[in-house]
Amino acid sequence: MASIASRFTSCWSRIFSPAPRRPHLQCPLVPLQQARGAAIGGGAHSLNAQKYKRKDTATAAKKKNKARNTFINYDLKRAEQFSLCDAMRYIRAFEVGYPPSSPKYELHVKLRTLKNGPILRNRLRLPHPVKTDVRICVICPPDSPTAVAALKAGAAMAGDEEIFAAIKEGKIEFDRCICHVDSLQALNKAGVARILGPRGLMPSAKTGTVVKDVAIMVRDLVGGSEYKERLGVVRMSVGQLAFTPDQLQRNIRAFMEQLRKDMGLLSDRVSKEVHEVVLSSTHGPGFSLNGEFKSPSGVPPKDLSVA
């Protein structure tokens, strides 16, 4: 009996006694917040930590590299520059095959200026006007002395009611529109502002296209040229391919003098300086000018006087 009782006790103890823990299966209890922190922020070797670290580095680099408030101007010491006669010689080589009166010399003046500063804009009558096919319309009473003077000065058309009717029909056969002071009320009542306005053809006193002496304005537009600064560069046609070097030089000189006057009229807080002057043509590349008229080993100006 004693042996049976001892066997029963040992079986009972084996059934209800806790099983011993194996060393390799034991895991200490870690607080939940600590475990989450290890999973999310996990030290320097965590992928997420490295990703966020790269983002922080890129953000810091962007903060250091501030945006430029001026246009980029390259060093002219590394650029090849030409005299006026040499540039004309190369440009004419690129324009071979075109009529001498078709291609035009274009001057590009690059400025040292702020990106958000005021821009230069004006109209200039050159000593040797560049012939253009600009069609000018004059709003004034037909058969009046004003209309006769405008047509003699080079206007393509002059009138009021007939021109208003053609505009409403969509027949806009002019590139510029000028209005006489006495005809401004008739122009406003005609209701053509919604047609001419989006095209930039509506006359207004602000743009200087509502004048008393129409003939003088027409002559300025026919023989004059407009220029406007865009992205720190002022561009304007300064001659035709058949111009002689002396004619082109006088036009460039007049344009540069007027440009410097415009820069001098700006406030003292705004600084604009000429950085580079480039001469190009309608179909040719640009040549940076060094300010000289002729180089010592260049072509004589007489050879460039004949197109």
Side-chain angles (χ1 to χ4, degrees):
M1 295 294 291
S3 60
I4 295 174
S6 61
R7 291 177 182 175
F8 180 77
T9 303
S10 61
C11 293
W12 186 267
S13 62
R14 286 197 302 269
I15 294 172
F16 290 97
S17 61
R21 296 182 178 178
R22 298 180 180 179
H24 64 277
L25 295 178
Q26 294 180 3
C27 56
L29 295 178
V30 181
L32 182 60
Q33 295 180 356
Q34 185 178 355
R36 288 180 178 175
I40 296 174
H45 299 288
S46 175
L47 295 177
N48 290 334
Q50 293 177 6
K51 179 175 67 174
Y52 293 135
K53 186 177 181 180
R54 286 196 299 269
K55 287 184 178 180
D56 296 340
T57 306
T59 305
K62 288 181 180 179
K63 289 182 179 179
K64 290 182 181 179
N65 299 331
K66 295 182 180 179
R68 294 178 58 92
N69 59 353
T70 58
F71 296 99
I72 298 176
N73 292 323
Y74 299 98
D75 189 5
L76 296 181
K77 294 180 181 179
R78 302 179 180 179
E80 185 177 3
Q81 294 186 306
F82 304 85
S83 64
L84 179 61
C85 291
D86 290 343
M88 292 179 64
R89 175 190 176 190
Y90 295 133
I91 287 175
R92 289 189 177 185
F94 279 96
E95 297 290 353
V96 170
Y98 294 95
S101 60
S102 176
K104 296 179 177 59
Y105 289 109
E106 297 176 357
L107 202 69
H108 309 257
V109 182
K110 192 170 186 179
L111 306 174
R112 295 190 188 97
T113 178
L114 297 175
K115 288 185 177 180
N116 56 352
I119 63 173
L120 298 177
R121 182 176 184 177
N122 205 341
R123 183 187 297 112
L124 173 65
R125 184 179 177 85
L126 297 172
H128 303 278
V130 182
K131 295 182 180 180
T132 58
D133 299 331
V134 178
R135 299 169 299 176
I136 300 174
C137 170
V138 177
I139 305 298
C140 63
D143 301 330
S144 62
T146 302
V148 175
L151 293 174
K152 286 184 178 180
M157 60 186 71
D160 45 18
E161 296 297 335
E162 295 181 359
I163 295 177
F164 297 154
I167 293 173
K168 292 178 181 179
E169 294 177 359
K171 298 178 181 179
I172 302 176
E173 299 177 350
F174 53 87
D175 304 313
R176 301 286 176 83
C177 187
I178 302 172
C179 181
H180 193 265
V181 176
D182 298 337
S183 301
L184 181 60
Q185 187 175 1
L187 176 65
N188 294 331
K189 288 183 179 180
V192 295
R194 58 186 178 83
I195 303 174
L196 298 180
R199 293 175 170 84
L201 300 175
M202 184 63 186
S204 66
K206 185 177 180 180
T207 57
T209 50
V210 178
V211 294
K212 291 183 179 180
D213 196 338
V214 175
I216 295 178
M217 187 66 179
V218 171
R219 290 193 194 97
D220 292 340
L221 288 178
V222 170
S225 302
E226 291 185 354
Y227 58 88
K228 180 180 179 182
E229 177 187 351
R230 290 193 180 112
L231 300 177
V233 181
V234 182
R235 301 175 178 86
M236 195 180 77
S237 298
V238 291
Q240 292 179 340
L241 199 66
F243 277 18
T244 64
D246 294 332
Q247 291 175 335
L248 190 61
Q249 183 190 32
R250 284 193 286 268
N251 280 359
I252 293 176
R253 185 178 298 170
F255 172 61
M256 295 301 298
E257 289 177 357
Q258 182 62 41
L259 197 63
R260 289 190 174 93
K261 288 180 182 179
D262 294 342
M263 290 189 289
L265 295 176
L266 300 175
S267 62
D268 298 335
R269 298 180 181 179
V270 179
S271 109
K272 287 181 181 288
E273 298 178 1
V274 176
H275 173 68
E276 185 183 12
V277 179
V278 178
L279 182 68
S280 66
S281 63
T282 305
H283 308 96
F287 295 87
S288 181
L289 301 180
N290 56 12
E292 298 180 359
F293 177 69
K294 175 187 174 299
S295 61
S297 60
V299 180
K302 294 181 180 179
D303 296 345
L304 296 173
S305 300
V306 181

